[in-house]
Amino acid sequence: MPYYESAIKKLLPTTYRCKHVAHEIYVALTHFQSLVPMMDRYVYNDGTIKNLMSLTGTIPVPFKGKTYNIPVCLWIEESYPHTAPICYVRPSCERIVLSGKYISSNYEILLPYLEEWKNGECDLLSLLQVMVVMFGDFPPVYMQPHLESEQAPCWLQVHRRAEVRSKTDGRLYLHLASEDDQPFQQDNETSC
């Protein structure tokens, strides 16, 4: 669905630099058409809740000759463009997030471009382009593999037998099967 700059501007509260932010979102959406702008509630680590503009959807990332749609969400704070967006990978239920070099354990995207953000030099389109390049080298998610062990790359085999399960009291835990498909000892389970 095409978005018009004037319509995006109407979504933004007056606390934003509306004209500037609407223009940057519009430019980003002309290149990444599967992203959707929307106002939504963002919960900060300290529990504070704010209505922020977000761009949510997928970005196409080439990896080993194929293109994968990586689900992301970019939260744009009222202080933008003075501060970088807060960005996350948003996996679907059939995808698993690989935390590591550029992804934290809570799925936040931690790129040098975000850490070194400079007003006037950095923008949403460039940020999305950097994500495409970095995720092409270091994919942040993968689908549950359907390959035999000897065909799957090593990094997929490590994660292959991990399952998130729930206990009777509703708590979640990560179940890791050993090589003989028997579960590890109870004391090795990790509760979430």
Side-chain angles (χ1 to χ4, degrees):
M1 172 180 173
Y3 291 92
Y4 298 100
E5 200 167 329
S6 58
I8 297 167
K9 189 176 175 183
K10 288 179 184 177
L11 287 173
L12 293 166
T14 57
T15 52
Y16 281 85
R17 290 184 52 199
C18 295
K19 186 175 181 180
H20 179 84
V21 174
H23 178 71
E24 278 204 31
I25 290 171
Y26 173 74
V27 170
L29 294 178
T30 60
H31 292 85
F32 294 90
Q33 297 173 1
S34 64
L35 294 175
V36 176
M38 66 178 82
M39 291 299 296
D40 205 353
R41 290 173 13 135
Y42 179 78
V43 181
Y44 289 88
N45 291 336
D46 66 0
T48 304
I49 299 172
K50 272 191 169 181
N51 280 333
L52 298 180
M53 171 56 74
S54 69
L55 289 178
T56 303
T58 61
I59 56 174
V61 174
F63 181 70
K64 294 188 176 182
K66 292 184 180 181
T67 299
Y68 297 90
N69 293 314
I70 305 298
V72 296
C73 182
L74 286 66
W75 292 95
I76 303 167
E77 295 182 280
E78 296 164 340
S79 56
Y80 183 87
H82 297 286
T83 57
I86 304 166
C87 305
Y88 291 91
V89 173
R90 300 293 276 298
S92 57
C93 55
E94 67 272 357
R95 292 184 179 162
I96 296 176
V97 174
L98 297 170
S99 60
K101 189 168 186 169
Y102 299 116
I103 308 295
S104 74
S105 60
N106 69 343
Y107 310 157
E108 186 173 359
I109 299 170
L110 307 170
L111 297 173
Y113 189 86
L114 289 165
E115 293 169 8
E116 299 163 6
W117 186 270
K118 290 185 178 116
N119 181 24
E121 294 179 25
C122 300
D123 58 56
L124 291 175
L125 177 59
S126 298
L127 171 60
L128 290 163
Q129 291 169 334
V130 167
M131 283 182 187
V132 168
V133 171
M134 297 305 253
F135 292 165
D137 291 336
F138 302 96
V141 296
Y142 74 92
M143 301 286 287
Q144 281 287 28
H146 299 289
L147 303 171
E148 293 301 317
S149 292
E150 56 273 5
Q151 294 175 325
C154 292
W155 63 273
L156 284 178
Q157 291 180 37
V158 170
H159 299 284
R160 180 178 190 151
R161 293 184 174 93
E163 294 176 45
V164 176
R165 295 185 177 175
S166 58
K167 295 187 175 194
T168 54
D169 63 358
R171 289 185 303 149
L172 299 176
Y173 69 97
L174 184 63
H175 170 81
L176 299 171
S178 63
E179 288 189 16
D180 60 2
D181 273 335
Q182 297 300 312
F184 285 105
Q185 300 281 327
Q186 179 78 10
D187 58 0
N188 289 333
E189 291 178 352
T190 301
S191 293
C192 302

